[in-house]
């Protein structure tokens, strides 16, 4: 199980440790502190390292998670609940994020 919520994923951040693991990155669309583009690049590189990883972008969300806070909380709670059961194949938002070729927009 692995999750990243509003991560700091600079260029070159390692991804090999995620090989064979499931992870979801949740990011605000208007985050000016951490880069949604760098996070999307991290997801692409982790997939190349055989991670099952996805990205969910909160429309109009920011780094402080203050805008659309109820959606942030519901999304994070849902993804964490889904990741807490690694014996079950990914489902719900986790499955949708991991199978999407582009970040999911909520």
């Amino acid at each position: 199980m692995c999750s990243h919520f509003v991560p700091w994923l600079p260029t070159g951040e390692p991804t090999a440790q995620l090989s064979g693991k499931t992870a979801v990155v949740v990011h605000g669309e208007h985050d000016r502190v951490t880069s949604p583009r760098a996070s999307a690049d991290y997801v692409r590189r982790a997939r190349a390292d055989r991670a099952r990883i996805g990205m969910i972008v909160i429309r109009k969300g920011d780094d402080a998670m203050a805008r659309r806070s109820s959606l942030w909380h519901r999304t994070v709670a849902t993804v964490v609940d889904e990741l807490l059961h690694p014996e079950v194949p990914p489902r719900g938002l986790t499955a949708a994020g991991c199978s999407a070729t582009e970040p999911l927009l909520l």
Side-chain angles (χ1 to χ4, degrees):
M1 175 188 81
C2 190
S3 60
H4 297 283
F5 304 106
V6 191
W8 185 267
L9 298 168
T11 302
E13 185 73 16
T15 60
Q17 75 280 4
L18 294 176
S19 180
K21 295 186 172 67
T22 302
V24 177
V25 173
V26 181
H27 217 297
E29 179 181 38
H30 297 298
D31 188 335
R32 295 177 199 264
V33 176
T34 62
S35 168
R37 182 172 289 164
S39 293
D41 178 61
Y42 180 85
V43 168
R44 281 189 290 279
R45 291 185 300 109
R47 285 179 173 176
D49 279 333
R50 291 180 275 164
R52 185 182 304 128
I53 186 169
M55 183 169 170
I56 299 171
V57 173
I58 305 294
R59 288 182 207 264
K60 301 180 184 177
D62 56 15
D63 183 69
M65 297 179 268
R67 290 186 190 141
R68 305 194 70 199
S69 62
S70 61
L71 179 58
W72 272 105
H73 292 284
R74 281 193 317 273
T75 301
V76 170
T78 298
V79 169
V80 168
D81 180 61
E82 292 168 0
L83 291 172
L84 284 174
H85 305 284
E87 70 284 356
V88 177
R91 62 196 191 287
L93 278 176
T94 299
C98 290
S99 63
T101 57
E102 295 294 322
L104 290 182
L105 292 172
L106 299 183

